[in-house]
């Protein structure tokens, strides 16, 4: 592989309610990725913390100009590396009155500047009693108001999603139409849903958009009430898995982002040119 092909690092961690311990873990992973040649490092949803209750989750939240993000902007600047911070617990705009938060995906450049913030739009409200899964994200989280344009980075144009957004192909298609070459879904998938759906969804998003897909992940037990599936994954535009962090340990997988391969795939199988205009796919909704 040519040294001119940029390297992305997709990280896996086990966050807890201990924000200081989580920062030490993330720092170690980012430093490891930098040594491995990565120019951009992807951290998972809940990289800052995963609370054990609604009250703790809200109590630990911060604004974008708080200490946590300040520390990550300093880390990015010190290492001259871009960071994707997968799901930050950001206090909402009316925090003092309603005490609700956003689940925010933040991109920081190598100069330590915030260049994009996407607030998760699809919230995970799911009751799978047979699988032991019961989560209602909307109880304390505000859905984001809009998508954000793909961000030009050292590895290519990155489109932003978060976790449950993965299940909505309309989002990935919209990002691809606006130039995304890489889609990213930082996540904390449950063990039950991850076992059944994680890899197949990520590979499907890669194949249908002909994009690279990078999905940092949480793994293992965060506290007595919650555990995550792991398997942080990197997938190429043909649907081939380039790296998998497994289901047990924290770690980093490195992926070469060969944009020439992407261009070749899109040229040889021009799915994007064959796609009809949006109104065609809504034609069944029209009244006869």
């Amino acid at each position: 592989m040519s040294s001119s092909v940029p390297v992305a690092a997709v990280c896996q961690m086990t966050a807890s309610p201990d924000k200081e311990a989580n920062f030490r873990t993330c720092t170690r992973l980012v430093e490891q990725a930098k040594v491995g040649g990565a120019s951009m490092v992807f951290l998972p949803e809940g990289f800052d913390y995963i609370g054990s209750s609604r009250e703790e989750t809200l109590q630990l939240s911060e604004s974008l100009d708080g200490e946590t993000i300040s520390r990550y902007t300093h880390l990015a600047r010190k290492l001259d590396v871009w960071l994707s911070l997968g799901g930050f617990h950001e206090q909402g705009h009316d925090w003092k009155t309603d005490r609700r938060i956003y689940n925010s995906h933040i991109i920081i450049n190598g100069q330590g500047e915030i260049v994009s913030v996407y607030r998760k739009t699809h919230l995970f409200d799911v009751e799978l009693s047979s699988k032991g899964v019961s989560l209602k994200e909307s109880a304390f989280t505000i859905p984001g108001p809009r998508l954000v344009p793909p961000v030009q980075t050292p590895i290519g144009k990155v489109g932003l999603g978060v976790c449950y957004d993965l299940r909505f192909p309309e989002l990935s298609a919209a990002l691809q139409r606006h130039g995304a070459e890489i889609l990213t879904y930082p996540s904390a998938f449950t063990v039950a849903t991850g076992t059944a759906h994680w890899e197949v969804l990520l590979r499907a998003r890669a194949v249908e958009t002909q994009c690279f897909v990078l999905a940092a992940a949480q793994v293992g037990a965060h506290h007595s009430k919650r555990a995550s599936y792991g398997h942080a994954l990197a997938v190429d535009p043909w649907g081939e898995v380039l790296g998998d962090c497994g289901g047990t340990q924290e770690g980093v997988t490195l992926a070469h982002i060969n944009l020439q391969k992407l261009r070749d795939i899109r040229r040889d199988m021009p799915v994007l040119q064959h796609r009809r205009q949006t109104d065609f796919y809504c034609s069944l909704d029209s009244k006869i």
Side-chain angles (χ1 to χ4, degrees), residues 88-265:
F88 172 68
H89 297 82
E90 179 196 0
Q91 292 176 354
H93 296 307
D94 296 318
W95 170 254
K96 291 183 179 179
T97 57
D98 69 6
R99 285 183 62 79
R100 298 180 75 205
I101 61 176
Y102 291 109
N103 188 340
S104 299
H105 186 166
I106 303 164
I107 302 296
I108 300 174
N109 68 18
Q111 288 74 52
E113 301 163 332
I114 295 175
V115 296
S116 187
V117 180
Y118 163 70
R119 296 174 174 96
K120 183 180 181 183
T121 52
H122 300 99
L123 302 183
F124 190 70
D125 288 1
V126 174
E127 294 281 346
L128 301 175
S129 56
S130 64
K131 304 290 186 183
V133 175
S134 177
L135 287 169
K136 190 173 180 63
E137 191 174 17
S138 66
F140 53 86
T141 305
I142 308 163
R146 64 185 64 86
L147 302 181
V148 299
V151 181
Q152 185 65 58
T153 77
I155 65 169
K157 293 194 77 171
V158 176
L160 308 184
V162 179
C163 199
Y164 191 51
D165 287 332
L166 172 61
R167 293 184 181 271
F168 300 88
E170 300 87 349
L171 182 148
S172 58
L175 293 171
Q176 190 280 330
R177 284 198 305 273
H178 287 269
E181 298 163 318
I182 301 117
L183 301 173
T184 183
Y185 297 100
S187 297
F189 253 55
T190 69
V191 174
T193 57
T195 301
H197 302 149
W198 174 246
E199 182 176 323
V200 69
L201 283 170
L202 291 168
R203 295 179 71 185
R205 296 296 84 85
V207 169
E208 69 196 7
T209 62
Q210 299 177 320
C211 287
F212 287 89
V213 172
L214 306 178
Q218 295 282 351
V219 67
H222 307 291
H223 42 70
S224 61
K225 300 176 183 176
R226 186 170 173 186
S228 293
Y229 176 65
H231 291 278
L233 226 60
V235 184
D236 77 5
W238 193 248
E240 179 183 355
V241 174
L242 303 177
D244 181 344
C245 284
T248 58
Q249 297 180 339
E250 296 177 328
V252 177
T253 187
L254 300 174
H256 289 84
I257 307 301
N258 186 347
L259 294 180
Q260 185 58 52
K261 180 175 184 178
L262 177 148
R263 289 188 285 269
D264 290 346
I265 289 170

Side-chain angles (χ1 to χ4, degrees), residues 58-105:
L58 294 174
Q59 177 189 355
L60 293 172
S61 66
E62 298 180 26
S63 64
L64 288 180
D65 57 4
E67 180 184 7
T68 294
I69 296 304
S70 176
R71 296 177 82 177
Y72 281 96
T73 59
H74 176 76
L75 179 65
R77 185 167 57 250
K78 181 179 75 170
L79 297 179
D80 187 21
V81 66
W82 284 58
L83 297 178
S84 158
L85 305 181
F88 172 68
H89 297 82
E90 179 196 0
Q91 292 176 354
H93 296 307
D94 296 318
W95 170 254
K96 291 183 179 179
T97 57
D98 69 6
R99 285 183 62 79
R100 298 180 75 205
I101 61 176
Y102 291 109
N103 188 340
S104 299
H105 186 166

